[in-house]
Structure formats: structure tokens, C-alpha cells
Amino acid sequence: MEKSKIEELLIKSGAFLEGHFLLTSGKHSNQYVEKIKLVQNPHYVKKTITALKDKVKEFDFDTVVSPAMGAIVLGYELARQMEKRFVFTQRKNDKMTIRSGFDLDESSRVLIVEDVITTGGSVKEVIDCIEERKAQIKGIALVVDRSNGKASFNYPTTSLLQMDIENYEPNECPLCKKGIELEKPGASGKKIFNK
């Protein structure tokens, strides 16, 4: 799927928002991708993952791992379409962990699937979690990379869409200076990190 088609899908689903947003990183931005708008519609999920499947078919993996919450639907759909195993991670006591009951060990060949990244903090937490289990990370697949390729993970990484969305330190935010109300979209239980 072309970049313009993914952008169109985000706009159609209502996932692409403009305004003044507080990001998990603690930074502010004038644009936000509200992935829940995308994942609430199975038709959009199927189209998105069909496109992502083409980008990851060369990775040698047997297990898809996604962080809770928004990426669970996307990771599961990719695992379903590619007939792979699915595992998800969640935060427990502020630490990313494999959800209890799932198996992941040294023999697991993992593809991490994440919905949207800005700094890549959640993906780095998932990497740490998987490396602790000594599983083999074969690659990382993103639906939207808001870092425009600047986030780095030391593993092969692919994305459907790279966006160069501006973000600002709170004390330098031009939107704050204009008095535009700050919104915090999404509610995945992630702490806001002030840098």
C-alpha cells in the first residue's frame, strides 16, 4: 500500500487529529494519530495489516509480540493472517512484561508489531522484555513512525508510514504560547515522561 493510501485510511477512520496534544514523551505536538479510531473498525485493520504483511514477509519469525493496548489488535491480526503465534506485553508495576500465561523463550523468533511511535519508548521496553527472556528478535514492524525514521532499535525495522510531525518541549511550545488548549488523547496507562 502506498504512503498516500495509508494516510487516506488514517484520515477516513478519524485517526489523524490536529490540535494541541500532550504526547507520552511529555512533549507537545500539533498533530496526533489516534490509533483507536483505526482499530475499532475491522475493515481498516484488515487493510492496514494486509499492507504491513507485505513488508514483513522476509522476516524469519514465528511469534508476533505487541504491547498493550492499541497494538494488540494489529499484532493479533498480523499473526492471524500469517498463521503465526501471538503474545502481548503489558506494564506491571511500571515495567513492561510478557502477559502471564504466554510462552516466550530462547527458541522464539519474534517480530514486534507496534501501532504508532514518536520516540520509540514503548518498543524499547518491549525489546528489553523480550531480551530478558532470551528470545530472538527478528524485526520490528510499525504502522506509523512519527519519528520519520529517527527512532533506532538495533533491529531491522519497517513501517507503513513515516511522518515528520513536529513536537516541542513544553517550555518551548508555540501552541502553549498561543493559549491553545492542551489535550491528552489516548489512555493506555502509560506514564507521561517529562524530559
Side-chain angles (χ1 to χ4, degrees):
M1 187 181 283
E2 302 164 20
K3 174 184 171 181
S4 60
K5 296 276 187 200
I6 289 295
E7 287 174 318
E8 186 183 311
L9 204 58
L10 292 171
I11 291 165
K12 244 184 181 175
S13 68
F16 188 74
L17 306 175
E18 294 190 338
H20 182 194
F21 305 104
L22 175 62
L23 307 176
T24 303
S25 65
K27 294 183 179 187
H28 295 191
S29 180
N30 64 336
Q31 296 175 324
Y32 189 81
V33 179
E34 180 60 278
K35 62 244 178 191
I36 207 71
K37 298 288 187 184
L38 182 71
V39 300
Q40 72 183 357
N41 187 316
H43 175 70
Y44 293 144
V45 170
K46 183 179 177 187
K47 285 181 98 163
T48 301
I49 295 308
T50 298
L52 192 59
K53 184 171 73 171
D54 288 341
K55 293 195 141 251
V56 302
K57 61 187 172 194
E58 300 305 316
F59 292 119
D60 177 30
F61 66 98
D62 59 26
T63 305
V64 173
V65 176
S66 291
M69 287 301 291
I72 290 176
V73 172
L74 299 166
Y76 180 83
E77 177 62 13
L78 182 70
R80 188 193 69 76
Q81 284 190 27
M82 297 189 78
E83 299 182 350
K84 307 291 184 183
R85 220 164 45 100
F86 176 73
V87 170
F88 72 84
T89 63
Q90 63 185 24
R91 281 185 187 79
K92 190 171 184 179
N93 300 322
D94 296 327
K95 184 176 190 255
M96 193 68 79
T97 60
I98 300 294
R99 170 70 165 88
S100 108
F102 283 124
D103 298 320
L104 196 67
D105 59 29
E106 297 92 343
S107 67
S108 302
R109 291 173 287 118
V110 172
L111 175 72
I112 298 170
V113 175
E114 176 63 301
D115 44 28
V116 181
I117 67 157
T118 300
T119 62
S122 292
V123 171
K124 288 172 185 166
E125 288 181 74
V126 174
I127 289 169
D128 290 345
C129 176
I130 293 169
E131 287 178 341
E132 280 178 21
R133 297 273 185 123
K134 302 198 181 332
Q136 307 163 50
I137 299 172
K138 296 298 185 175
I140 299 164
L142 313 167
V143 174
V144 178
D145 176 359
R146 284 178 45 117
S147 82
N148 201 29
K150 293 178 195 121
S152 172
F153 305 110
N154 297 322
Y155 291 100
T157 304
T158 189
S159 63
L160 284 180
L161 179 63
Q162 287 191 352
M163 301 175 79
D164 194 9
I165 298 177
E166 289 186 82
N167 53 68
Y168 316 100
E169 294 296 337
N171 59 343
E172 298 168 1
C173 178
L175 305 166
C176 287
K177 290 175 182 161
K178 289 181 183 175
I180 299 170
E181 187 177 343
L182 182 65
E183 299 175 57
K184 183 189 176 303
S188 63
K190 290 189 251 183
K191 286 189 171 185
I192 301 298
F193 298 100
N194 294 315
K195 296 187 177 187

